[in-house]
Amino acid sequence: MPRLALYTFGVLKSPLADPAPLTREFYDIGEAVYRKISQYPGYLARAEAAGGDRGMLFEADWGAWGEFDVPTWYDKGRTVETTALATTLSLWTDLDPAFEAVYSGLHREALNRRYDWFERTAHPNHVFWWVPDGAIPTWRDGVSRLEHLHGHGSAPHAFTFHHPFTPQGTPAPRAALPGAS
């Protein structure tokens, strides 16, 4: 049975290494969010660097998740001292559990604070796509799908919560986003 890949990407207002209170706060809540997300039914796995070093993204060993990559529009630093981004790559059983994990609990609280930490942008901040059972999506896959979504909108190849697709490529019922009418 196909599995759902989710890639998220955001540009932070300050580098990850910044000792300012907002950056520390983002880190602190991020660790707690990851712990909670991993407990949701339907969550399968996420890309984690072999060394687990904070802020070490470009040089890290990501194993089967491939070499770290970012969208072409990211124009900030690429060293531990200058990197100013937050990104995830994860696998889910289906859209509903991912939706529940993203739009409830601690992650929902973090979403409500996103503009404290992240720059506002016209680029999409997440993308989904289906992968065959047993396949591990790579960072490059996520970047490619996010860039495709930005250039072409939702399609079976790359889609959002607002415009999802089934594994067969047909439109799926739209997720009922909190606050949406």
Side-chain angles (χ1 to χ4, degrees):
M1 172 166 230
R3 299 178 301 167
L4 190 67
L6 168 60
Y7 174 75
T8 66
F9 184 84
V11 179
L12 293 164
K13 290 181 176 180
S14 61
L16 291 168
D18 185 349
L22 277 179
T23 304
R24 283 195 310 272
E25 182 182 67
F26 173 75
Y27 256 133
D28 290 346
I29 198 168
E31 292 300 319
V33 166
Y34 281 136
R35 280 192 303 278
K36 288 286 187 190
I37 293 272
S38 69
Q39 296 169 0
Y40 273 85
Y43 169 86
L44 298 171
R46 74 176 168 100
E48 294 185 78
D53 294 328
R54 278 184 147 183
M56 187 172 171
L57 301 171
F58 293 93
E59 302 85 10
D61 174 5
W62 294 94
W65 302 89
E67 184 177 337
F68 188 75
D69 200 7
V70 293
T72 55
W73 59 79
Y74 176 73
D75 61 359
K76 294 197 175 184
R78 293 174 181 254
T79 67
V80 172
E81 296 78 24
T82 61
T83 298
L85 64 90
T87 185
T88 63
L89 179 58
S90 58
L91 275 172
W92 296 84
T93 57
D94 203 350
L95 193 63
D96 289 338
F99 180 86
E100 179 66 25
V102 168
Y103 288 104
S104 66
L106 193 55
H107 191 272
R108 177 64 186 188
E109 291 175 32
L111 276 178
N112 291 339
R113 300 276 322 276
R114 66 186 171 270
Y115 297 123
D116 291 344
W117 304 312
F118 292 93
E119 294 180 355
R120 292 178 186 256
T121 176
H123 299 103
N125 61 14
H126 76 279
V127 64
F128 289 105
W129 69 100
W130 294 101
V131 296
D133 190 30
I136 302 293
T138 66
W139 289 108
R140 183 67 217 143
D141 294 336
V143 168
S144 174
R145 305 286 176 141
L146 191 70
E147 289 175 342
H148 185 275
L149 177 67
H150 178 67
H152 306 283
S154 277
H157 177 76
F159 55 91
T160 66
F161 278 124
H162 287 286
H163 301 284
F165 287 82
T166 67
Q168 296 77 29
T170 60
R174 181 178 170 175
L177 297 172
S181 52

